[in-house]
Amino acid sequence: MKDSESKKQDKGEEEDRKSKVEDRTLKVKDSESKKQDREEEVDRKSKVEDRTLKVVDRTRKAVDTTLKVEDSERRKQDREEEVDRKSKVEDRTRKAVDTTLKVEDSERRKQDREEEVDRKSKVEDRMLKVEDSLNIAVETTRKVKVTPSRMLGTLLLVRGADSL
């Protein structure tokens, strides 16, 4: 009976060992499963991080592009404002030149009128001298008996007065 008890005991010990081996195997498998789960979690986190970095890069590029477009638009607007300022300056310059030309024309017309008055005055003076000479000639002709040679002298005298 001892043998049978010993066999039973050996059998019980063997079952205990098997049970312990199974427990250890399950623990190892469980540990390996947890390890694999952690590695998968790390991989998922790494992929999420990579995607996040890609999104951040795309966002940064979009911001850079937006800033470039805004700078370009600002420079374009600055150029347009500069063109407007130049156009206004040109308009003012043109108006100033026009005003200057009008003033010069007015002064020239005024000077021309003054010269015309001077010419008329000179002509009037000459006409008065001629008239005086003719009056003298007529009076002389009345006082003196007119001969053809005296008539010629009177005419020469009158013509000479005209050239004054």
Side-chain angles (χ1 to χ4, degrees), residues 114-128:
E114 289 172 354
E115 289 174 359
E116 182 67 24
V117 167
D118 286 347
R119 277 193 295 273
K120 286 181 180 178
S121 170
K122 287 179 184 177
V123 166
E124 242 178 64
D125 288 347
R126 286 184 195 145
M127 288 177 68
L128 288 174

Side-chain angles (χ1 to χ4, degrees), residues 56-159:
V56 167
D57 283 347
R58 280 190 221 125
T59 303
R60 195 173 294 130
K61 287 180 183 177
V63 167
D64 288 346
T65 303
T66 302
L67 290 174
K68 286 180 183 177
V69 167
E70 287 174 355
D71 286 346
S72 173
E73 288 175 358
R74 194 174 312 114
R75 284 192 302 270
K76 181 181 177 186
Q77 186 177 2
D78 289 348
R79 283 191 301 268
E80 289 173 353
E81 288 173 358
E82 182 66 23
V83 166
D84 286 346
R85 279 193 294 273
K86 285 182 180 178
S87 177
K88 288 178 182 178
V89 166
E90 287 175 357
D91 287 347
R92 283 190 219 123
T93 304
R94 199 172 300 117
K95 287 179 182 177
V97 167
D98 288 347
T99 302
T100 303
L101 290 175
K102 286 178 182 177
V103 167
E104 288 176 353
D105 285 348
S106 174
E107 288 175 357
R108 195 175 313 116
R109 282 193 301 271
K110 181 180 176 185
Q111 188 177 4
D112 288 348
R113 282 192 300 269
E114 289 172 354
E115 289 174 359
E116 182 67 24
V117 167
D118 286 347
R119 277 193 295 273
K120 286 181 180 178
S121 170
K122 287 179 184 177
V123 166
E124 242 178 64
D125 288 347
R126 286 184 195 145
M127 288 177 68
L128 288 174
K129 287 180 183 178
V130 167
E131 188 178 333
D132 288 346
S133 296
L134 284 175
N135 285 337
I136 291 171
V138 167
E139 281 181 33
T140 306
T141 308
R142 278 190 203 151
K143 291 179 184 175
V144 177
K145 200 173 192 184
V146 180
T147 61
S149 64
R150 286 190 176 161
M151 182 63 87
L152 181 62
T154 303
L155 286 175
L156 288 176
L157 180 67
V158 170
R159 288 210 170 214

Side-chain angles (χ1 to χ4, degrees), residues 37 39-49 51:
D37 287 347
E39 287 175 354
E40 288 174 0
E41 183 66 26
V42 166
D43 283 347
R44 275 193 298 271
K45 285 182 180 179
S46 174
K47 288 180 182 177
V48 166
E49 220 175 89
R51 284 189 207 126

